[in-house]
Amino acid sequence: MQQLCVKGHGGKIELCFGAEQDFSQALESLQKMDSFFRDTDIKISYSGIKLSYNEEMRLSKELVKLFGKGAILEKKHRLSKEQINYSLEENEAICLVINKSLRSGETVTGRGDVIIYGDVNPGACVKARGNITVLGALRGVAHVLGKGRVYSTYMQPSQIRIGKVCSYNKTTENVGCAVALEENGEIILQCL
């Protein structure tokens, strides 16, 4: 069984894992590797195995442990049309950044804050334990699972939930740049 082959080309290194390795074996072989690239800025890619989004996140953490904070993993996973459930360690909060508009039927769930550079169209849903920031039009559903706020440059949501408090948009009027927050069991919209 091939353990791990390291190739260098074009200012970056490629980790070539054996195709028969599973993720835990790949991590094991990576942890045995000595790094003479320690504490340098280096781009890293991988080949030979298929990893899920969460496995890529774990691999990225291991690479930072091995190479230092300058290690950047070139990820292969991108946001798809299906639901994305972003989960790492149970208590870990991290900001999820989405660089596209969400279309009807798409759902994004973040363990911390969620920032969307684009629109959240009707039928799309964003859930977060922290704040939700939409740098575009919010026309879909925004659900803050804890004590966060919802920010948008064009606030026109079909529904906003903060904790257990829910508010539906009864008009189609665009409020403009606003923040939604929960006060005394009500959702309050404040123009910014």
Side-chain angles (χ1 to χ4, degrees), residues 111-153:
R111 286 200 177 268
D113 293 346
V114 175
I115 299 174
I116 298 178
Y117 291 97
D119 299 335
V120 178
N121 290 306
C125 180
V126 180
K127 297 178 184 178
R129 289 196 180 154
N131 296 320
I132 297 173
T133 304
V134 179
L135 299 169
L138 172 59
R139 295 187 187 104
V141 176
H143 185 182
V144 176
L145 304 170
K147 291 267 186 198
R149 296 178 175 197
V150 178
Y151 300 88
S152 179
T153 54

Side-chain angles (χ1 to χ4, degrees), residues 79-85 105-109 127:
L79 188 67
S80 69
K81 293 179 183 176
E82 299 135 17
Q83 178 178 358
I84 293 179
N85 186 1
E106 290 184 306
T107 300
V108 171
T109 305
K127 297 178 184 178

Side-chain angles (χ1 to χ4, degrees), residues 71-89:
I72 299 171
L73 177 66
E74 293 182 349
K75 297 178 178 70
K76 296 184 180 185
H77 287 275
R78 300 287 180 249
L79 188 67
S80 69
K81 293 179 183 176
E82 299 135 17
Q83 178 178 358
I84 293 179
N85 186 1
Y86 187 87
S87 61
L88 295 171
E89 315 308 328

Side-chain angles (χ1 to χ4, degrees), residues 53-76:
Y53 189 83
N54 291 341
E55 288 171 338
E56 270 193 352
M57 293 302 295
R58 286 182 54 205
L59 178 64
S60 184
K61 284 182 177 184
E62 288 299 320
L63 291 172
V64 168
K65 285 180 191 174
L66 183 65
F67 294 105
K69 292 183 180 179
I72 299 171
L73 177 66
E74 293 182 349
K75 297 178 178 70
K76 296 184 180 185

Side-chain angles (χ1 to χ4, degrees), residues 166-184:
C166 185
S167 174
Y168 294 91
N169 188 1
K170 295 164 186 72
T171 66
T172 57
E173 185 178 318
N174 182 355
V175 185
C177 190
V179 59
L181 53 118
E182 186 268 330
E183 278 186 9
N184 302 324

